[in-house]
Each structure stands twice: as C-alpha cells, then as structure tokens.
C-alpha cells in the first residue's frame, strides 16, 4: 500500500523573503506528524531558502516544474539535473502548465523521464476539463492522459500521480469524494496495466482541487486516494498542517 503523501503547491506566490518565513511557520506543526510524506513546492527562486528553513525535519521540498533537457540554450528554464541538488520532488504536467504554457503529454513524459533519471520523484498531474466530464468521458480521457504522460517509464519507483480535475482547481468547487475515488481506482488500474499490480499499489495517487482541512477527510477515506495536492490552502499554515494531520489520522 502506498505511503500517504500531501504536497503543497505554492504556485507563483511568496517572495524570496516571504517563502522561508512561511515554511518556518509550518515547520514545527509538520515535523510533529508522522506516517505521511510531506512536501512543500515553493517557487524556483525560494527552493534553497525553504530547504534551509525546513532543515533537520522530514519535510521534503519539490519544484513546480523542470525542463527535460540537461542544459543548453533554453533561456529562462531550469533543468531537472539543476533541481536534483535542491529538492526531492518535482510537479510535472500541472493543468496550468498544460493550458497556459501549451504543454503536451509528450512534453510531460519527457519531463517525467528526466526527473526520474536525476533521482527526483515526479508528481505527474492529470485531470479532465468540464466539457470532458459533462460528456461522460472522464475516466477514459484521464487514463489515456496518464498513459501518454508516462510514455517510456519502465520503473515507477518514486512516482506519484496527482488527479486534479481542471474545474476543481482554485474554484472552491472540489470534486465529490466518490467521483474522485472512482477516478483514483481507474488510475490504479491503468498503473497496474503499465507496471503490474504490486508496483502500482505502491504509487501514491493524490486528489487535488480546492482541498481544505474541512473537506479533505472523505477523500482520504477512499481506498485509492493516498493524499492531496494542495494549492491555495497550502499558503495558510494552519490549514496545511490541518490537512496533513487529518491525512495522518485517517490513514494511521
Ligand atoms: P487549489 O489548487 O487547491 O488551489 O485548487 C490545487 C492545485 O492546482 O494543485
């Protein structure tokens, strides 16, 4: 069974001065919780400072993206090999990257492979837009998206999957836990078809989309949901610590 995991995605929020202060304000609360992998994903420019603020705790650090190429003429980009000395995780294929920066499944797969090659744990995000959900095709669509985003991956050790329905991100309108649970079960089957039952059962599948300390419980209660990818609420220390605490107590 997968170890539960909660990741906070700070997105493009916090200055380099604010980020370590925010991390420090969560430090003791997060450090006191065991049984859950805890990950904070600040902006690139604050990865080092947040790592220092969380030094000597078991809280891990993640980047929000990374480029698939090793190095070269890619102005403004940061490679997975550069990230590997700063953090342990990297989010790839977040729906904001897919929709605002035109990332394709092939781009996401290349990033995932590069992350794995550099010893980073990729949090591979998938999720359907509202029109796909309304048309009744969500399960098949997201399963295909996951397969394409993992193209070429042969060893899933360290892999994390984030299911984030696009219509639930930042809207205050989370998915119903039974709907997210059904998707997580379908994604588990997809992972089993790619990697086998045993390896698939060890891959944490996260739900993301308007998660709060108020609504997290019923998601974690679902058999195939192993944690959460948290956006807005991860910027509020009490909220984020509360989400991790609830996850730990439900999965204990
Ligand atoms: P949200 O964002 O929790 O603010 O909806 C989730 C995400 O985009 O990872």
């Amino acid at each position: 069974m997968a170890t539960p995991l909660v990741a906070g995605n700070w997105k493009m929020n916090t200055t380099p001065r604010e980020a370590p202060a925010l991390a420090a304000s969560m430090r003791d609360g997060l450090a006191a919780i065991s049984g859950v992998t805890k990950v904070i994903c600040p902006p690139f420019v604050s990865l080092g400072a947040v790592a220092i603020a969380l030094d000597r705790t078991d809280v891990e650090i993640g980047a929000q993206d990374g480029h698939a190429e090793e190095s070269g003429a890619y102005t403004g980009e940061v490679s997975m090999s550069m990230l590997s000395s700063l953090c342990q995780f990297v989010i790839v294929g977040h729906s904001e990257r897919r929709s605002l920066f035109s990332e394709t499944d092939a781009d996401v797969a290349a990033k995932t492979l590069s992350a794995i090659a550099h010893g980073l744990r990729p949090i591979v995000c998938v999720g359907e837009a509202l029109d796909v959900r309304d048309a009744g095709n969500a399960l098949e669509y997201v399963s295909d998206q996951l397969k394409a985003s993992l193209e070429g991956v042969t060893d899933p050790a360290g892999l994390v999957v984030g299911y984030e329905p696009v219509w639930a991100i930042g809207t205050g309108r989370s998915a119903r836990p039974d709907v997210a649970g059904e998707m997580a079960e379908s994604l588990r089957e997809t992972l089993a078809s790619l990697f086998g039952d045993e390896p698939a059962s060890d891959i944490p599948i996260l739900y993301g989309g308007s998660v709060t300390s108020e609504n997290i419980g019923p998601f974690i209660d679902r058999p195939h949901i192993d944690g959460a990818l948290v956006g807005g609420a991860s910027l509020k220390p009490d909220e984020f610590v509360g989400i991790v605490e609830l996850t730990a107590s439900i999965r204990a």
Side-chain angles (χ1 to χ4, degrees), residues 9 11 94 96 164 168-171 208-211 229-233:
N9 173 12
K11 308 194 180 184
H94 189 280
E96 287 151 17
E164 299 203 302
I169 296 176
T171 59
S210 299
V211 169
L229 183 52
V230 186

Side-chain angles (χ1 to χ4, degrees), residues 175-183 218-219 222:
R176 283 203 339 247
D178 59 322
V179 168
E182 181 187 39
M183 181 63 77
F219 289 103
R222 294 275 147 184

